[in-house]
Amino acid sequence: MSSLSTHVLDTALGRPAQGVPVQLYQGDVVLATGATNDDGRFAFTSTLEPGTYRLQFDVTSYAAATGQDIFFPEVSVTFTVADERHYHVPLLLSPFAFSTYRGS
């Protein structure tokens, strides 16, 4: 079984993105929900078997809380769990762009 965490950084404000709601899906099924902590991090407690998953970040609520106008109201990141390890999916966020990568 694999584990999963995420880290959201607000590149426009130059700080971790606190309070970003995030959901973990497999297909159309919600497996877990949460929100990033003061350091912009969230670790899922559920373990993952091999397969395809999706993280859904609610950027709208975060932008409203920080007084930012945004172009992307939500960000979806689909990824594949292939073997047993820890998976980390960071999200770099700004009002008009986002980027992600496979972290460690």
Side-chain angles (χ1 to χ4, degrees):
M1 296 288 205
S2 298
S3 59
L4 174 67
S5 62
T6 189
H7 188 197
V8 183
L9 298 171
D10 185 326
T11 59
L13 298 178
R15 64 181 186 214
Q18 176 185 1
V20 177
V22 59
Q23 293 181 313
L24 174 64
Y25 288 84
Q26 186 172 32
D28 292 331
V29 177
V30 177
L31 300 178
T33 62
T36 56
N37 65 14
D38 293 351
D39 194 35
R41 297 177 184 273
F42 184 77
F44 293 88
T45 57
S46 53
T47 56
L48 307 178
E49 296 183 10
T52 301
Y53 297 87
R54 178 171 41 106
L55 286 174
Q56 184 80 31
F57 298 89
D58 180 0
V59 179
T60 300
S61 64
Y62 172 74
T66 57
Q68 298 182 73
D69 291 326
I70 57 155
F71 182 70
F72 298 102
E74 60 186 28
V75 173
S76 293
V77 179
T78 303
F79 61 98
T80 301
V81 170
D83 50 13
E84 290 187 19
R85 67 172 62 196
H86 177 72
Y87 288 83
H88 184 67
V89 182
L91 177 65
L92 306 176
L93 185 62
S94 78
F96 304 106
F98 66 88
S99 178
T100 188
Y101 56 95
R102 180 179 172 177
S104 59

